[in-house]
Amino acid sequence: MGDANEALDAVLAESQFDLGRVEQGPDGPIFAYSRNTDEIVSPGALQGLARSASWGDEAATRARRAKVIVPDEAFVRWRSSVGEWLDEFINGEIWMIGHAFPMESSHRGYETFEADGVTSQSYVSSVDDLAKVLIRGAAIMGTAELVNMLSRWLEGEPVRYRTSAVLNGLYLNDTLTPVPGIRIQPLPQSTDGAFGSLPVLRGSVIEDFLGRSVLSIASVARPAFFRPEEDGNRSVVRAEFASGVGLDTVCQALALESDTEVEMAFQWNDYADASLHLSPGGKSTYSRRRGGVEPRGIGNSLRTDHMTGVRTVSIDEKNVRHLSEDRLAHIILAMERHGEASIGVAISRWCKSKERFRTLADRFIDLRVALEAMYLKNLDRKNRGEMKFRLTLYGAWYIGSDFSERKAVRKTLGDAYDMGSRAVHGDTLPSTERIVALLSRSQELCRRGILKFLEEGVREDWDNMILGAGLDDGESRASD
C-alpha cells in the first residue's frame, strides 16, 4: 500500500480545509460554505479540532465536515490514484462507487430493516466525493491509519461498528457486559461528562440524556465496497450483529431481569474512530416509539451549579437497577438457545404488558396472550371455559411451590384471564387500585413462569406433569 500512502501524503501536503460557518435554519443549525472561503485551517489544525470529545462541540462538527481545498492539478493526480486503487468497485460509466459506511456527500442511500434491530445500509457516491473525503480523513486520522483501514476492507474484512440505542425506563448503577460484544452502560449524570458518539438530535439538549442507559452491540456490514448499478434501487450490503444477539433480544432480557419496561428511544450506528473520516455530522437515528426519549418521571431531579454552569441529575435510588451480569447473560443465551416460538410470543407480549403509556385493557390483553402462549400451546381453543381452567391449573402447578401458593396463583391467573376476556369484548376496565394491583401480581407470575421456561425448556405435556410423570411412587410434589 506504499503507493496509496505516498499519493495521499502528496495531495494532503497541498490541501487546506474550509470550516465553513453555522447558520440557524428552520429545523436547526445547518453548515454552509461561502463562494469565498470562511475559515481556513491546515491539516494539523483540523486534526486538533476534529478530535474534541465534548458532546455537540460545534468546532469539532465543523472540522469533521470541513470542505477540502486543493489545487486542481494535485486533485486530478489523487483522483487518478483512487480510481486505480478502487477500480474493481467503480462503475466507470457513471463514475460512482458503492460503500457500506455513510458519507454526508453520498448521492444515494438504501436501508433495509431486518430482524432484531439490524439495519443494512448501502451508499453510492461519486469517486470525486470519496476522494475528497479521504483527504479530509487522512488529515484527521493520519495517512497510515486511514490507508490501513481501507486496505483491510479491500481484502474482504467487513466494516466494523457498533449499533447503539438510548434506552427508556432503565437506570443502572454500573456498566454491564453480559455477552462479548454487548455493552449496557449508564451515561454521565453531569453535563461535563464524556458522552462519546451520542448523536446531537434535533431539538435535544444534553440534559435530556443525563443518567440514562445506552445499549451497544458490536456489528459488521459486508461488503465494505461494491460496484453500483446505474438503476440500482436496493441495499446490497448485509449487516449482522457480531455475537448473533440483537437489540430486541437484549432489551427483552433486560426487562425480564429488571422486572420493568425497557425500550429503545432511538438507535444509531456508531463508527467510532472511523467516523472521523466518514460522516459524524450525518448520523441516522431511528425511533421505534412516538416521542423518542421519555420523561424521567417522579423521584428524579436536575440541579445547576451557577458557578460552572454544569447541570447534574439525581436519580432516585428506587429507580436504579442493580442487575446481575451473570443472570442477564444466562437469560440472553437461554432466549437464543431455545428459539421456541411460544416462548418468544410470551416474552414479547409480557414486555408489551409492561408499557405504561398503553391502556389498562391493552395490557391485560397482552398478558393473557403471554399466558396462553406458555400454557395453552397445543390446546384446542374452541372451549373458552376449558381454556381458563387448564391455563390456571397448569400455571398454578408450574409456578407454585406448595398447596397454599398454588391456590393463590390459580386465583390470580384466573382473575387476570377474566380481565383480559372483558377487555377483548370491549368492556372498560377502571383504573382502580385493586385492578392495577391485579395486573402487577399477574405480570410477576407470568415473568416467573417465563424465567422457569428459559431455565428448563418448554413443557410438552402438562397433564403428565400434574400426574407426577418422572416422580417415583414414594416422592411427593413438594420434594420436586
Side-chain angles (χ1 to χ4, degrees):
M1 290 294 108
D3 290 346
N5 277 283
E6 292 174 8
L8 191 49
D9 280 336
V11 72
L12 187 60
E14 297 189 57
S15 299
Q16 293 179 306
F17 300 89
D18 182 359
L19 297 180
R21 64 188 185 282
V22 179
E23 297 178 349
Q24 194 63 34
D27 297 320
I30 59 175
F31 296 87
Y33 303 90
S34 304
R35 286 193 176 182
N36 299 320
T37 55
D38 291 293
E39 182 179 351
I40 304 299
V41 297
S42 67
L46 187 77
Q47 184 182 68
L49 290 170
R51 288 187 176 274
S52 169
S54 299
W55 188 85
D57 186 288
E58 185 177 287
T61 303
R62 290 171 65 199
R64 296 170 193 175
R65 296 173 63 95
K67 181 179 178 181
V68 179
I69 302 174
V70 59
D72 289 345
E73 186 177 342
F75 182 70
V76 168
R77 289 196 301 269
W78 166 238
R79 184 179 58 191
S80 176
S81 296
V82 171
E84 293 176 6
W85 192 22
L86 303 177
D87 177 67
E88 178 183 350
F89 308 102
I90 295 173
N91 184 327
E93 295 180 3
I94 55 175
W95 201 231
M96 294 281 186
I97 185 169
H99 46 92
F101 51 86
M103 281 172 31
E104 74 274 10
S105 54
S106 296
H107 288 227
R108 299 197 302 267
Y110 309 105
E111 297 173 338
T112 303
F113 297 93
E114 302 177 31
D116 217 7
V118 177
T119 303
S120 295
Q121 298 175 300
S122 300
Y123 303 89
V124 177
S125 301
S126 74
V127 177
D128 283 19
D129 286 339
L130 178 62
K132 291 174 183 177
V133 166
L134 296 181
I135 295 173
R136 187 180 63 198
I140 297 172
M141 299 176 66
T143 298
E145 183 178 348
L146 179 67
V147 170
N148 184 47
M149 181 177 70
L150 267 67
S151 298
R152 294 197 304 270
W153 291 347
L154 293 173
E155 292 168 0
E157 284 195 19
V159 175
R160 300 184 186 278
Y161 60 99
R162 299 191 73 86
T163 301
S164 301
V166 169
L167 302 179
N168 283 328
L170 184 68
Y171 298 94
L172 296 174
N173 67 314
D174 203 359
T175 297
L176 302 169
T177 53
V179 175
I182 297 176
R183 182 174 65 241
I184 310 106
Q185 64 186 114
L187 288 170
Q189 291 185 242
S190 297
T191 55
D192 59 351
F195 290 83
S197 70
L198 183 70
V200 183
L201 294 182
R202 182 179 301 166
S204 66
V205 292
I206 191 59
E207 288 91 330
D208 296 336
F209 303 102
L210 296 179
R212 298 185 186 274
S213 299
V214 172
L215 166 61
S216 176
I217 304 182
S219 307
V220 295
R222 311 180 166 81
F225 291 105
F226 61 92
R227 186 181 186 278
E229 299 300 325
E230 187 170 359
D231 58 348
N233 59 357
R234 63 185 179 85
S235 174
V236 301
V237 173
R238 285 292 170 265
E240 60 185 14
F241 297 113
S243 64
V245 179
L247 294 170
D248 295 336
T249 298
V250 178
C251 282
Q252 290 175 347
L254 284 167
L256 286 168
E257 172 62 11
S258 62
D259 192 19
T260 191
E261 175 190 7
V262 177
E263 63 168 10
M264 289 174 280
F266 63 90
Q267 69 181 79
W268 74 98
N269 289 341
D270 174 8
Y271 291 86
D273 288 342
S275 69
L276 295 175
H277 99 283
L278 302 177
S279 183
K283 290 190 179 76
S284 295
T285 60
Y286 311 95
S287 180
R288 296 197 184 186
R289 73 179 291 269
R290 208 174 306 166
V293 178
E294 67 176 15
R296 286 193 181 84
I298 298 172
N300 305 311
S301 60
L302 191 65
R303 67 179 187 275
T304 303
D305 184 328
H306 295 289
M307 295 292 292
T308 62
V310 173
R311 307 203 74 189
T312 302
V313 70
S314 296
I315 308 297
D316 192 318
E317 179 59 29
K318 70 180 181 183
N319 295 328
V320 178
R321 295 294 187 267
H322 300 259
L323 304 185
S324 165
E325 194 171 75
D326 289 341
R327 282 202 306 269
L328 181 60
H330 180 78
I331 293 171
I332 291 172
L333 295 176
M335 290 172 66
E336 287 296 299
R337 181 174 63 252
H338 284 301
E340 171 66 42
S342 60
I343 292 184
V345 170
I347 293 172
S348 174
R349 298 307 283 263
W350 177 85
C351 287
K352 288 181 72 65
S353 82
K354 300 288 283 188
E355 294 177 357
R356 289 161 288 175
F357 69 90
R358 302 175 74 245
T359 68
L360 198 59
D362 285 340
R363 297 172 74 181
F364 267 110
I365 290 171
D366 284 318
L367 184 62
R368 193 183 87 160
V369 173
L371 293 168
E372 289 179 346
M374 286 194 293
Y375 301 119
L376 303 181
K377 176 185 173 186
N378 297 317
L379 184 69
D380 182 350
R381 307 197 175 198
K382 293 179 181 179
N383 187 329
R384 294 190 178 277
E386 185 182 2
M387 287 172 64
K388 176 185 174 182
F389 172 79
R390 288 180 178 272
L391 185 151
T392 57
L393 181 64
Y394 297 157
W397 192 268
Y398 189 62
I399 297 171
S401 59
D402 55 34
F403 172 74
S404 177
E405 185 180 14
R406 290 195 293 274
K407 188 174 181 180
V409 169
R410 188 177 186 189
K411 174 68 166 61
T412 299
L413 293 182
D415 290 345
Y417 191 87
D418 288 341
M419 285 295 171
S421 296
R422 286 177 54 184
V424 166
H425 290 94
D427 290 354
T428 300
L429 303 185
S431 297
T432 64
E433 184 176 341
R434 182 185 69 82
I435 293 180
V436 171
L438 171 63
L439 176 66
S440 179
R441 289 198 308 273
S442 51
Q443 284 173 328
E444 172 55 24
L445 292 175
C446 183
R447 172 178 175 266
R448 284 171 57 184
I450 289 171
L451 292 174
K452 192 171 182 180
F453 268 44
L454 291 175
E455 180 71 30
E456 300 179 356
V458 177
R459 299 206 68 103
E460 296 297 335
D461 194 325
W462 291 101
D463 291 334
N464 284 351
M465 179 193 74
I466 293 173
L467 292 173
L471 297 177
D472 294 332
D473 291 341
E475 288 186 298
S476 69
R477 170 67 175 84
S479 65
D480 202 5

